[in-house]
Amino acid sequence: AFISIQAFPALLDLPQDLEVSVVSCGSRHTAVITRGGELYTWGWGKYGQLGHGNNISSDQARRVEHLVSQGLRAEDVVCGPWTTYIRVLE
C-alpha cells in the first residue's frame, strides 16, 4: 500500500470531541494520545509499529483498540525509527 509522506504540517483528521495531549513522530509513522488516554497511530506499519496487531500501513489515524480492550490508559508515547513505546496506566 502506498503511504504518503508529508514534509509539512497537515490537519489531523480525528473526531471533533477528541483533544490531543501528546504527539510523537517516527521516521515514517506518527502517534498521538488524547486527553482521555486513547492512542491513535498512522503511517508506515511494516514492522507492527502502529500497534494494531498487523503490519498494515494507514494514512488515516486509527485508535489502538488493544489498549481499550485491556482497560489501559495511554500516558506517554515515544516513536523511534520503526518502533513505538507507550507508557500506560491501568
Coordinates of all heavy atoms in Angstrom, one line a residue:
A1 N 0.8 -1.2 0.0 CA 0.0 0.0 0.0 C 0.9 1.2 0.0 O 1.9 1.3 0.7 CB -0.9 0.0 1.2
F2 N 0.4 2.2 -0.7 CA 1.2 3.5 -0.8 C 0.8 4.3 0.4 O -0.4 4.5 0.7 CB 0.8 4.2 -2.1 CG 1.4 5.6 -2.2 CD1 2.7 5.8 -2.5 CD2 0.6 6.7 -1.9 CE1 3.3 7.0 -2.6 CE2 1.2 8.0 -1.9 CZ 2.5 8.1 -2.3
I3 N 1.8 4.9 1.1 CA 1.6 5.8 2.2 C 2.2 7.1 1.8 O 3.4 7.2 1.5 CB 2.2 5.2 3.5 CG1 1.5 3.9 3.9 CG2 2.2 6.2 4.6 CD1 0.1 4.0 4.2
S4 N 1.4 8.2 2.0 CA 2.0 9.5 1.6 C 2.9 10.0 2.7 O 2.7 9.7 3.9 CB 0.9 10.5 1.4 OG 0.2 10.7 2.6
I5 N 4.0 10.6 2.4 CA 4.9 11.2 3.3 C 4.8 12.7 3.2 O 4.9 13.3 2.1 CB 6.4 10.8 3.0 CG1 6.5 9.3 3.2 CG2 7.4 11.5 3.9 CD1 7.8 8.7 2.8
Q6 N 4.5 13.4 4.3 CA 4.3 14.8 4.3 C 5.5 15.5 5.0 O 5.7 15.2 6.1 CB 3.0 15.2 4.9 CG 1.8 14.7 4.1 CD 0.5 15.2 4.6 OE1 -0.3 14.5 5.1 NE2 0.3 16.5 4.5
A7 N 6.1 16.4 4.3 CA 7.2 17.2 4.9 C 6.8 18.5 5.5 O 7.6 19.3 5.8 CB 8.3 17.4 3.8
F8 N 5.5 18.7 5.6 CA 5.0 19.9 6.1 C 3.8 19.6 7.0 O 3.2 18.6 6.9 CB 4.6 20.9 5.0 CG 3.6 20.2 4.0 CD1 2.3 20.2 4.2 CD2 4.2 19.5 2.9 CE1 1.4 19.6 3.3 CE2 3.3 18.9 2.0 CZ 2.0 18.9 2.2
P9 N 3.4 20.6 7.9 CA 2.2 20.3 8.8 C 1.0 20.1 8.0 O 0.7 20.6 7.0 CB 2.2 21.6 9.6 CG 3.5 22.2 9.5 CD 4.0 21.8 8.2
A10 N 0.1 19.2 8.6 CA -1.2 18.9 8.0 C -2.2 18.8 9.0 O -1.9 18.5 10.2 CB -1.1 17.6 7.2
L11 N -3.5 19.1 8.7 CA -4.5 18.9 9.7 C -4.7 17.5 10.0 O -4.6 16.6 9.2 CB -5.8 19.5 9.1 CG -5.9 21.0 9.0 CD1 -7.2 21.4 8.3 CD2 -5.8 21.7 10.3
L12 N -5.0 17.2 11.3 CA -5.2 15.8 11.7 C -6.7 15.5 11.7 O -7.5 16.3 12.2 CB -4.7 15.7 13.2 CG -4.7 14.4 13.9 CD1 -4.0 13.4 13.0 CD2 -4.2 14.5 15.2
D13 N -7.1 14.4 11.1 CA -8.5 14.1 11.0 C -8.9 13.1 12.1 O -8.9 11.9 11.9 CB -8.7 13.4 9.6 CG -10.2 13.2 9.3 OD1 -11.0 13.9 9.9 OD2 -10.5 12.4 8.4
L14 N -9.3 13.7 13.3 CA -9.8 12.9 14.4 C -11.2 13.4 14.7 O -11.6 14.5 14.3 CB -8.9 13.1 15.7 CG -7.5 12.5 15.7 CD1 -6.8 13.0 16.9 CD2 -7.6 11.0 15.6
P15 N -12.0 12.5 15.4 CA -13.3 13.0 15.7 C -13.2 14.3 16.5 O -12.3 14.5 17.3 CB -13.9 11.9 16.6 CG -13.1 10.7 16.2 CD -11.7 11.2 15.8
Q16 N -14.2 15.2 16.3 CA -14.1 16.6 16.9 C -14.1 16.6 18.4 O -13.5 17.6 19.0 CB -15.3 17.4 16.4 CG -15.2 17.8 15.0 CD -16.3 18.7 14.6 OE1 -17.4 18.6 15.1 NE2 -16.1 19.7 13.7
D17 N -14.6 15.6 19.1 CA -14.6 15.7 20.6 C -13.3 15.3 21.2 O -13.2 15.3 22.4 CB -15.8 14.9 21.1 CG -15.7 13.4 20.7 OD1 -15.1 13.1 19.7 OD2 -16.3 12.6 21.4
L18 N -12.3 14.9 20.4 CA -11.0 14.4 21.0 C -10.0 15.6 21.0 O -9.9 16.3 20.0 CB -10.5 13.3 20.1 CG -11.3 12.0 20.1 CD1 -10.6 11.0 19.2 CD2 -11.5 11.5 21.5
E19 N -9.3 15.7 22.1 CA -8.3 16.7 22.2 C -6.9 15.9 22.4 O -6.8 15.1 23.2 CB -8.5 17.6 23.5 CG -9.7 18.4 23.3 CD -9.9 19.3 24.6 OE1 -8.8 19.7 25.2 OE2 -11.0 19.6 24.9
V20 N -6.0 16.3 21.6 CA -4.6 15.6 21.6 C -3.8 16.3 22.7 O -3.7 17.5 22.8 CB -4.0 15.7 20.2 CG1 -2.5 15.2 20.3 CG2 -4.8 15.0 19.2
S21 N -3.1 15.4 23.5 CA -2.3 15.9 24.6 C -0.8 15.6 24.3 O 0.1 16.3 24.9 CB -2.7 15.4 25.9 OG -2.6 14.0 26.0
V22 N -0.5 14.5 23.6 CA 0.9 14.1 23.3 C 1.0 13.7 21.9 O 0.1 13.0 21.3 CB 1.3 12.9 24.2 CG1 2.7 12.5 23.9 CG2 1.1 13.2 25.7
V23 N 2.1 14.1 21.2 CA 2.4 13.7 19.8 C 3.8 13.2 19.7 O 4.7 13.8 20.4 CB 2.2 14.9 18.9 CG1 2.6 14.5 17.4 CG2 0.8 15.5 18.9
S24 N 4.0 12.2 19.0 CA 5.4 11.7 18.7 C 5.5 11.2 17.2 O 4.5 10.6 16.8 CB 5.8 10.6 19.6 OG 7.2 10.3 19.4
C25 N 6.6 11.5 16.6 CA 6.7 11.1 15.2 C 8.0 10.2 15.0 O 9.0 10.6 15.6 CB 6.9 12.4 14.3 SG 5.5 13.5 14.3
G26 N 7.8 9.1 14.4 CA 8.9 8.3 14.0 C 9.4 8.7 12.6 O 9.0 9.7 12.1
S27 N 10.2 7.8 12.0 CA 10.7 8.2 10.6 C 9.6 8.1 9.6 O 9.6 8.9 8.6 CB 11.8 7.4 10.2 OG 11.5 6.0 10.2
R28 N 8.6 7.3 9.8 CA 7.5 7.1 8.8 C 6.1 6.8 9.5 O 5.2 6.4 8.8 CB 7.8 5.9 7.9 CG 9.0 6.2 7.0 CD 9.3 5.1 6.1 NE 10.5 5.4 5.4 CZ 11.1 4.5 4.5 NH1 10.5 3.3 4.3 NH2 12.2 4.8 3.9
H29 N 6.0 7.1 10.8 CA 4.7 7.0 11.4 C 4.6 8.0 12.5 O 5.6 8.6 12.9 CB 4.5 5.5 12.0 CG 5.4 5.2 13.1 ND1 6.8 5.1 13.1 CD2 5.1 5.0 14.4 CE1 7.3 4.8 14.2 NE2 6.2 4.7 15.1
T30 N 3.3 8.2 12.9 CA 3.0 9.2 14.0 C 2.1 8.6 15.0 O 1.2 7.7 14.6 CB 2.4 10.4 13.3 OG1 3.3 10.9 12.3 CG2 2.1 11.5 14.3
A31 N 2.2 9.0 16.2 CA 1.3 8.5 17.3 C 0.8 9.7 18.1 O 1.6 10.7 18.3 CB 2.0 7.5 18.2
V32 N -0.4 9.7 18.5 CA -0.9 10.8 19.4 C -1.7 10.1 20.5 O -2.3 9.1 20.4 CB -1.8 11.8 18.7 CG1 -1.1 12.5 17.6 CG2 -3.1 11.2 18.2
I33 N -1.7 10.8 21.7 CA -2.5 10.4 22.8 C -3.5 11.5 23.0 O -3.2 12.7 23.0 CB -1.7 10.2 24.1 CG1 -0.7 9.0 23.8 CG2 -2.6 9.9 25.3 CD1 0.2 8.8 25.0
T34 N -4.8 11.1 23.3 CA -5.8 12.1 23.6 C -5.9 12.4 25.0 O -5.3 11.6 25.8 CB -7.2 11.6 23.1 OG1 -7.6 10.5 23.9 CG2 -7.2 11.2 21.6
R35 N -6.5 13.4 25.4 CA -6.7 13.8 26.9 C -7.4 12.7 27.6 O -7.2 12.5 28.8 CB -7.4 15.1 27.0 CG -6.6 16.3 26.5 CD -7.0 17.5 27.2 NE -6.3 18.7 26.6 CZ -5.1 19.0 26.8 NH1 -4.3 18.4 27.6 NH2 -4.6 20.1 26.1
G36 N -8.2 11.8 26.9 CA -8.9 10.7 27.5 C -8.0 9.5 27.6 O -8.5 8.4 28.1
G37 N -6.8 9.5 27.2 CA -5.8 8.4 27.3 C -5.9 7.4 26.1 O -5.4 6.3 26.3
E38 N -6.5 7.8 25.0 CA -6.6 6.9 23.9 C -5.4 7.1 23.0 O -5.0 8.3 22.8 CB -7.9 7.1 23.1 CG -9.1 6.7 23.9 CD -10.4 7.0 23.1 OE1 -10.4 8.0 22.4 OE2 -11.3 6.1 23.2
L39 N -4.8 6.0 22.4 CA -3.7 6.1 21.5 C -4.2 6.0 20.0 O -4.9 5.0 19.7 CB -2.7 5.0 21.8 CG -1.4 5.0 20.9 CD1 -0.6 6.2 21.0 CD2 -0.6 3.7 21.2
Y40 N -3.8 6.9 19.2 CA -4.1 6.8 17.8 C -2.8 6.8 17.0 O -1.8 7.5 17.4 CB -4.9 8.0 17.3 CG -6.3 8.0 17.7 CD1 -6.7 8.3 19.0 CD2 -7.3 7.6 16.8 CE1 -8.1 8.3 19.4 CE2 -8.7 7.6 17.2 CZ -9.0 7.9 18.5 OH -10.3 7.9 18.9
T41 N -2.7 6.0 16.0 CA -1.4 5.9 15.2 C -1.8 5.8 13.7 O -2.9 5.4 13.3 CB -0.6 4.6 15.5 OG1 -1.4 3.4 15.3 CG2 -0.2 4.6 17.0
W42 N -0.8 6.2 12.9 CA -0.9 6.1 11.4 C 0.4 6.2 10.8 O 1.4 6.6 11.4 CB -1.9 7.2 10.9 CG -1.4 8.6 11.0 CD1 -0.8 9.3 10.0 CD2 -1.6 9.4 12.1 NE1 -0.6 10.6 10.5 CE2 -1.0 10.7 11.8 CE3 -2.1 9.3 13.4 CZ2 -0.9 11.7 12.7 CZ3 -2.0 10.3 14.3 CH2 -1.5 11.5 13.9
G43 N 0.5 5.8 9.5 CA 1.7 5.9 8.8 C 2.2 4.5 8.3 O 1.3 3.6 8.1
W44 N 3.5 4.3 8.2 CA 4.0 3.0 7.7 C 4.0 2.0 8.9 O 4.5 2.3 10.0 CB 5.4 3.3 7.3 CG 6.1 2.2 6.5 CD1 5.6 1.5 5.4 CD2 7.4 1.7 6.7 NE1 6.5 0.6 5.0 CE2 7.6 0.7 5.7 CE3 8.4 1.9 7.6 CZ2 8.8 0.0 5.7 CZ3 9.6 1.2 7.5 CH2 9.8 0.2 6.6
G45 N 3.4 0.8 8.6 CA 3.2 -0.2 9.7 C 3.9 -1.5 9.4 O 3.6 -2.5 10.1
K46 N 4.9 -1.5 8.5 CA 5.6 -2.8 8.1 C 6.1 -3.6 9.3 O 6.0 -4.8 9.2 CB 6.7 -2.5 7.2 CG 7.4 -3.7 6.7 CD 8.5 -3.4 5.7 CE 9.1 -4.7 5.2 NZ 10.1 -4.5 4.2
Y47 N 6.5 -3.0 10.4 CA 7.1 -3.8 11.5 C 6.1 -3.8 12.7 O 6.6 -4.1 13.8 CB 8.4 -3.2 11.9 CG 9.4 -3.2 10.8 CD1 9.8 -2.1 10.1 CD2 10.0 -4.4 10.3 CE1 10.7 -2.1 9.0 CE2 10.8 -4.5 9.3 CZ 11.2 -3.3 8.6 OH 12.1 -3.4 7.6
G48 N 4.9 -3.5 12.5 CA 3.9 -3.6 13.6 C 3.9 -2.4 14.5 O 3.3 -2.4 15.5
Q49 N 4.7 -1.3 14.1 CA 4.9 -0.2 15.0 C 3.6 0.6 15.2 O 3.6 1.5 16.1 CB 6.0 0.7 14.5 CG 5.8 1.4 13.2 CD 6.3 0.6 12.0 OE1 6.1 -0.6 11.9 NE2 6.9 1.2 11.0
L50 N 2.5 0.4 14.5 CA 1.3 1.1 14.7 C 0.5 0.5 15.8 O -0.4 1.2 16.3 CB 0.5 1.2 13.4 CG 1.1 1.9 12.2 CD1 0.2 1.9 11.0 CD2 1.6 3.3 12.6
G51 N 0.8 -0.7 16.2 CA 0.1 -1.3 17.4 C -1.3 -1.9 17.1 O -2.0 -2.1 18.1
H52 N -1.6 -2.2 15.9 CA -2.9 -2.7 15.5 C -2.9 -4.2 15.4 O -3.9 -4.8 14.9 CB -3.5 -2.0 14.3 CG -3.6 -0.5 14.4 ND1 -4.5 0.0 15.3 CD2 -2.9 0.5 13.9 CE1 -4.4 1.3 15.2 NE2 -3.4 1.6 14.4
G53 N -1.8 -4.9 15.7 CA -1.8 -6.3 15.6 C -1.5 -6.8 14.2 O -1.7 -8.0 14.0
N54 N -1.0 -6.0 13.3 CA -0.7 -6.4 12.0 C 0.4 -5.5 11.4 O 0.9 -4.7 12.1 CB -2.0 -6.4 11.1 CG -2.6 -5.0 11.1 OD1 -1.9 -3.9 11.0 ND2 -3.9 -4.9 11.2
N55 N 0.7 -5.7 10.2 CA 1.7 -4.9 9.5 C 1.2 -4.0 8.4 O 1.8 -3.7 7.5 CB 2.8 -5.8 8.9 CG 3.6 -6.6 9.9 OD1 3.5 -6.3 11.1 ND2 4.2 -7.7 9.5
I56 N -0.1 -3.6 8.6 CA -0.8 -2.8 7.6 C -0.5 -1.3 7.9 O -0.5 -0.8 9.0 CB -2.3 -3.1 7.7 CG1 -2.6 -4.5 7.3 CG2 -3.0 -2.1 6.7 CD1 -4.0 -5.0 7.5
S57 N -0.1 -0.6 6.8 CA 0.1 0.8 6.9 C -1.2 1.6 6.7 O -2.2 1.0 6.1 CB 1.1 1.3 5.8 OG 2.3 0.6 5.9
S58 N -1.3 2.8 7.2 CA -2.6 3.6 7.1 C -2.3 5.1 7.0 O -1.5 5.6 7.8 CB -3.5 3.2 8.3 OG -4.6 4.1 8.2
D59 N -2.9 5.8 6.1 CA -2.8 7.2 6.1 C -3.8 7.9 7.0 O -3.7 9.1 7.3 CB -3.1 7.8 4.7 CG -1.9 7.7 3.8 OD1 -0.8 7.8 4.3 OD2 -2.0 7.7 2.6
Q60 N -4.7 7.1 7.6 CA -5.8 7.6 8.5 C -5.4 7.2 9.9 O -5.0 6.1 10.2 CB -7.1 7.0 8.1 CG -7.6 7.4 6.7 CD -7.8 8.9 6.6 OE1 -8.4 9.5 7.5 NE2 -7.4 9.4 5.5
A61 N -5.6 8.2 10.8 CA -5.4 7.9 12.3 C -6.4 6.9 12.7 O -7.6 7.0 12.5 CB -5.5 9.2 13.1
R62 N -5.9 5.8 13.4 CA -6.8 4.7 13.9 C -6.5 4.5 15.4 O -5.3 4.5 15.8 CB -6.5 3.4 13.2 CG -7.0 3.5 11.7 CD -6.7 2.2 11.0 NE -7.1 1.0 11.8 CZ -6.4 -0.1 11.8 NH1 -5.3 -0.3 11.0 NH2 -6.7 -1.2 12.5
R63 N -7.5 4.4 16.2 CA -7.3 4.1 17.6 C -6.8 2.7 17.8 O -7.2 1.8 17.2 CB -8.7 4.2 18.3 CG -8.6 4.1 19.8 CD -9.8 4.4 20.5 NE -10.8 3.4 20.3 CZ -12.0 3.3 20.9 NH1 -12.4 4.3 21.7 NH2 -12.8 2.3 20.6
V64 N -5.8 2.6 18.8 CA -5.2 1.3 19.1 C -6.2 0.6 20.0 O -6.3 0.9 21.2 CB -3.8 1.4 19.7 CG1 -3.3 0.1 20.1 CG2 -2.9 2.1 18.7
E65 N -7.0 -0.3 19.5 CA -8.1 -1.0 20.2 C -7.6 -1.9 21.3 O -8.3 -2.1 22.3 CB -9.0 -1.7 19.3 CG -9.7 -0.8 18.2 CD -10.6 0.2 18.9 OE1 -11.1 -0.1 20.0 OE2 -10.9 1.2 18.2
H66 N -6.4 -2.5 21.2 CA -5.9 -3.4 22.2 C -5.8 -2.7 23.6 O -6.2 -3.3 24.6 CB -4.5 -3.9 21.8 CG -3.9 -4.8 22.9 ND1 -4.4 -6.1 23.1 CD2 -3.0 -4.6 23.8 CE1 -3.7 -6.6 24.1 NE2 -2.8 -5.7 24.5
L67 N -5.4 -1.5 23.6 CA -5.4 -0.7 24.9 C -6.7 -0.6 25.5 O -6.9 -0.7 26.7 CB -4.7 0.6 24.7 CG -3.3 0.6 24.2 CD1 -2.8 2.1 24.1 CD2 -2.4 -0.2 25.2
V68 N -7.7 -0.2 24.7 CA -9.1 -0.1 25.1 C -9.6 -1.4 25.7 O -10.2 -1.4 26.8 CB -10.0 0.5 24.0 CG1 -11.4 0.6 24.4 CG2 -9.5 1.8 23.5
S69 N -9.4 -2.5 25.0 CA -9.9 -3.8 25.4 C -9.3 -4.3 26.7 O -9.9 -5.0 27.4 CB -9.8 -4.8 24.3 OG -8.4 -5.1 24.1
Q70 N -8.1 -3.8 27.0 CA -7.4 -4.2 28.2 C -7.6 -3.2 29.3 O -7.1 -3.4 30.4 CB -5.9 -4.3 27.9 CG -5.5 -5.4 26.9 CD -5.9 -6.8 27.4 OE1 -5.6 -7.2 28.5 NE2 -6.7 -7.5 26.6
G71 N -8.4 -2.2 29.1 CA -8.7 -1.2 30.1 C -7.5 -0.3 30.5 O -7.3 0.2 31.6
L72 N -6.6 -0.1 29.5 CA -5.3 0.7 29.7 C -5.5 2.1 29.2 O -6.1 2.3 28.1 CB -4.2 0.0 29.1 CG -3.9 -1.4 29.5 CD1 -2.8 -2.1 28.7 CD2 -3.5 -1.4 31.0
R73 N -5.0 3.0 29.9 CA -5.0 4.4 29.5 C -3.5 4.8 29.1 O -2.6 4.7 29.9 CB -5.5 5.3 30.7 CG -5.4 6.7 30.4 CD -5.8 7.5 31.8 NE -5.5 8.9 31.6 CZ -6.4 9.8 31.3 NH1 -7.7 9.4 31.1 NH2 -6.1 11.0 31.2
A74 N -3.4 5.3 27.9 CA -2.0 5.8 27.5 C -1.7 7.1 28.2 O -2.5 8.0 28.2 CB -2.0 5.9 26.0
E75 N -0.5 7.2 28.7 CA 0.0 8.4 29.4 C 1.1 9.1 28.6 O 1.1 10.3 28.6 CB 0.6 8.0 30.7 CG -0.5 7.5 31.7 CD -1.3 8.6 32.2 OE1 -0.8 9.6 32.7 OE2 -2.6 8.4 32.2
D76 N 1.9 8.3 27.9 CA 3.0 9.0 27.1 C 3.4 8.0 25.9 O 3.2 6.8 26.0 CB 4.2 9.2 28.0 CG 5.2 10.2 27.4 OD1 4.9 10.9 26.4 OD2 6.3 10.3 28.0
V77 N 3.9 8.6 24.9 CA 4.3 7.8 23.7 C 5.6 8.4 23.1 O 5.8 9.7 23.1 CB 3.2 7.8 22.6 CG1 2.9 9.2 22.1 CG2 3.5 6.9 21.5
V78 N 6.5 7.5 22.7 CA 7.7 7.9 22.0 C 7.9 7.0 20.8 O 7.9 5.8 20.9 CB 8.9 7.8 22.9 CG1 10.2 8.1 22.2 CG2 8.8 8.7 24.2
C79 N 8.0 7.6 19.6 CA 8.2 6.9 18.4 C 9.7 6.9 18.0 O 10.3 7.9 18.1 CB 7.4 7.5 17.3 SG 5.6 7.3 17.5
G80 N 10.2 5.7 17.6 CA 11.5 5.6 17.1 C 11.4 5.4 15.6 O 10.4 5.5 15.0
P81 N 12.6 5.0 15.0 CA 12.5 4.9 13.5 C 11.5 3.8 13.1 O 10.7 4.1 12.2 CB 13.9 4.4 13.2 CG 14.8 5.0 14.3 CD 13.9 4.9 15.5
W82 N 11.4 2.7 13.8 CA 10.5 1.6 13.4 C 9.8 1.0 14.6 O 9.4 -0.1 14.7 CB 11.2 0.5 12.6 CG 11.8 1.0 11.4 CD1 11.1 1.3 10.2 CD2 13.2 1.2 11.1 NE1 12.0 1.8 9.3 CE2 13.3 1.7 9.8 CE3 14.3 1.0 11.9 CZ2 14.5 2.0 9.2 CZ3 15.5 1.3 11.3 CH2 15.6 1.8 10.0
T83 N 9.7 1.8 15.7 CA 9.1 1.4 16.9 C 8.2 2.4 17.5 O 8.3 3.6 17.2 CB 10.2 1.1 18.0 OG1 11.0 2.2 18.1 CG2 11.1 -0.1 17.5
T84 N 7.3 2.0 18.5 CA 6.5 2.9 19.2 C 6.5 2.4 20.7 O 6.2 1.2 20.9 CB 5.1 2.9 18.7 OG1 5.1 3.3 17.3 CG2 4.2 4.0 19.5
Y85 N 6.9 3.2 21.6 CA 6.9 2.9 23.0 C 5.8 3.7 23.7 O 5.7 4.9 23.5 CB 8.2 3.2 23.7 CG 9.4 2.5 23.0 CD1 10.2 3.1 22.1 CD2 9.7 1.2 23.4 CE1 11.2 2.4 21.5 CE2 10.7 0.5 22.9 CZ 11.5 1.1 21.9 OH 12.5 0.4 21.3
I86 N 5.0 3.1 24.5 CA 4.0 3.8 25.3 C 4.0 3.5 26.7 O 4.5 2.4 27.1 CB 2.5 3.5 24.8 CG1 2.2 2.0 24.9 CG2 2.3 4.0 23.3 CD1 0.8 1.7 24.6
R87 N 3.7 4.5 27.5 CA 3.6 4.3 29.0 C 2.1 4.3 29.3 O 1.4 5.2 28.8 CB 4.2 5.4 29.8 CG 4.2 5.2 31.3 CD 4.9 6.2 32.0 NE 4.0 7.4 32.1 CZ 4.4 8.7 32.0 NH1 5.7 8.9 31.8 NH2 3.6 9.7 32.0
V88 N 1.6 3.3 30.0 CA 0.2 3.1 30.2 C -0.1 3.1 31.7 O 0.7 2.9 32.5 CB -0.4 1.9 29.6 CG1 -0.3 1.9 28.1 CG2 0.2 0.6 30.1
L89 N -1.4 3.4 32.0 CA -1.9 3.4 33.4 C -3.1 2.4 33.4 O -3.9 2.5 32.5 CB -2.3 4.8 33.8 CG -2.6 5.1 35.2 CD1 -1.4 4.9 36.0 CD2 -3.2 6.5 35.3
E90 N -3.1 1.5 34.3 CA -4.2 0.6 34.4 C -5.4 1.2 35.1 O -5.3 2.0 35.9 CB -3.8 -0.7 35.2 CG -2.8 -1.5 34.5 CD -2.5 -2.8 35.2 OE1 -3.4 -3.4 35.7 OE2 -1.3 -3.1 35.3

